[in-house]
Amino acid sequence: MNIGRALVPLAAAGLVALSACSTAGAGGEDGRLKVTASFYPMQFLAEQIGGGHVDVTELTKPGTEPHDLELTPRQTGELGESDVVVYLKGLQPAVDDAIAQSGVENTVDAAALTPLEDHGTEVDGHDHGSGDDHSGHGDEDAGADPHIWLDPVRYAEVAEGVGKALAKADPAHEAAYEKNTAALVRKLDTLDTDFQDGLKNRSSDTFITTHAAFGYLAERYGLVEQAISGIDPESEPSAARMRTLHTLAEDKGVSTVFFETLASDRTARTLAGDLGLKTAVLDPIEGITDKSAGRDYFEVQHSNLQALRAALGAK
């Protein structure tokens, strides 16, 4: 475009303003959308749906327990520069606080995209919620269970919401986001079918885990989760809870006590040792490390399925 000499200063100022608007709506200098994800399940969605059009930063580093995350000033500052933030409100208070103060226009709360439930610890078919002596966890575990990503159906609902949010923030690539969302939802539908088929012919419904992360998955496939601790993996079970688990394991024919990669396995191994039970990993997929039984969400979920099949006597 030929511009007269007198118009050069005005044109330059206009280009600066346009550049600022473009950066705010479509990421940094490379044109990619700057997305901040609170922890791995949100990061996975953003990367799968965003593809090459997004630059994703995860706040919870691999190997860190997401529930206990504390943000550095640098992370808080970077969050405020994001085009989109994808998180799960209630899981990480430090993230919730930082988002509330950030002023970021496009925030995606996974907890608002699918219904959350309060999964107390069930004993003999009765729900003993937080505060009950049978539950083994205290008031810090009260409220809704955040582990929606472990249910492929609910995770697909969250994926659809994330896809819409990315398209809103970056309409130039809306078609790509829609295509990627649809592909991811199809894979999650297949995973749901794999769980349904893989757990059909089982001899038991009850399994014991380190902490209450698998309530949605258990509900989806007709299982009963018995957690040593509550929603918080670091909470200590009461003596009453441990006695209940001893009785329950014998009555329900439990064969395996599950532990996980990011939380201590000490209590799970002690319980298994006392009862002569096997131990195995059931991964809540809160982060992927070199100890994970897979490189991504789908690989670890299939590993979880095989672990449950073995523990529940599925044929």
Side-chain angles (χ1 to χ4, degrees), residues 45-260:
L45 291 183
E47 290 177 342
Q48 293 291 303
I49 296 170
H53 301 300
V54 298
D55 177 16
V56 182
T57 299
E58 182 187 4
L59 293 176
T60 308
K61 301 306 177 186
T64 302
E65 222 304 318
H67 300 75
D68 301 326
L69 178 69
E70 296 293 338
L71 298 180
T72 66
R74 179 177 180 178
Q75 285 178 307
T76 302
E78 290 176 346
L79 185 151
E81 297 173 357
S82 304
D83 296 306
V84 180
V85 178
V86 185
Y87 73 117
L88 202 165
K89 188 174 183 179
L91 179 69
Q92 299 170 290
V95 175
D96 296 349
D97 292 344
I99 290 172
Q101 299 172 22
S102 70
V104 175
E105 180 179 354
N106 298 299
T107 62
V108 189
D109 174 15
L113 298 174
T114 187
L116 267 63
E117 300 175 5
D118 182 4
H119 291 132
T121 302
E122 284 195 9
V123 180
D124 296 332
H126 300 286
D127 182 12
H128 298 275
S130 56
D132 189 302
D133 287 342
H134 294 282
S135 70
H137 56 88
D139 292 340
E140 72 276 11
D141 293 326
D145 178 358
H147 301 88
I148 49 179
W149 64 92
L150 292 168
D151 173 357
V153 177
R154 290 177 184 270
Y155 199 40
E157 293 172 350
V158 176
E160 291 175 340
V162 171
K164 291 176 182 177
L166 295 182
K168 177 185 175 183
D170 182 18
H173 299 112
E174 179 178 4
Y177 298 138
E178 290 179 350
K179 179 181 178 181
N180 293 344
T181 300
L184 179 57
V185 169
R186 285 194 297 271
K187 290 182 68 176
L188 289 167
D189 287 345
T190 299
L191 179 63
D192 173 44
T193 300
D194 290 344
F195 267 92
Q196 290 184 44
D197 293 344
L199 295 171
K200 271 183 181 176
N201 301 312
R202 59 182 185 264
S203 58
S204 176
D205 294 333
T206 302
F207 63 100
I208 296 177
T209 59
T210 300
H211 90 285
F214 297 90
Y216 293 108
L217 184 145
E219 180 182 58
R220 177 68 57 190
Y221 305 112
L223 308 179
V224 178
E225 176 192 47
Q226 291 291 344
I228 297 173
S229 302
I231 297 297
D232 180 358
E234 300 303 326
S235 63
E236 289 293 329
S238 66
R241 179 61 183 158
M242 293 300 288
R243 288 194 298 270
T244 297
L245 288 172
H246 277 71
T247 302
L248 183 144
E250 295 174 355
D251 291 347
K252 301 296 183 181
V254 174
S255 67
T256 307
V257 178
F258 288 112
F259 63 93
E260 55 197 64

Side-chain angles (χ1 to χ4, degrees), residues 4-28:
R5 185 178 300 274
L7 296 179
V8 169
L10 180 60
L15 286 172
V16 169
L18 180 60
S19 175
C21 293
S22 175
T23 299

Side-chain angles (χ1 to χ4, degrees), residues 194-195 198-199 258 300-311:
D194 290 344
F195 267 92
L199 295 171
F258 288 112
V300 178
Q301 276 285 54
H302 278 105
S303 176
N304 283 343
L305 173 57
Q306 295 310 313
L308 283 169
R309 280 175 49 82

Side-chain angles (χ1 to χ4, degrees), residues 259-285:
F259 63 93
E260 55 197 64
T261 56
L262 295 184
S264 172
D265 61 358
R266 178 177 55 83
T267 306
R269 290 190 182 279
T270 298
L271 177 63
D274 289 345
L275 295 171
L277 304 180
K278 295 180 289 186
T279 58
V281 172
L282 199 62
D283 196 329
I285 324 182

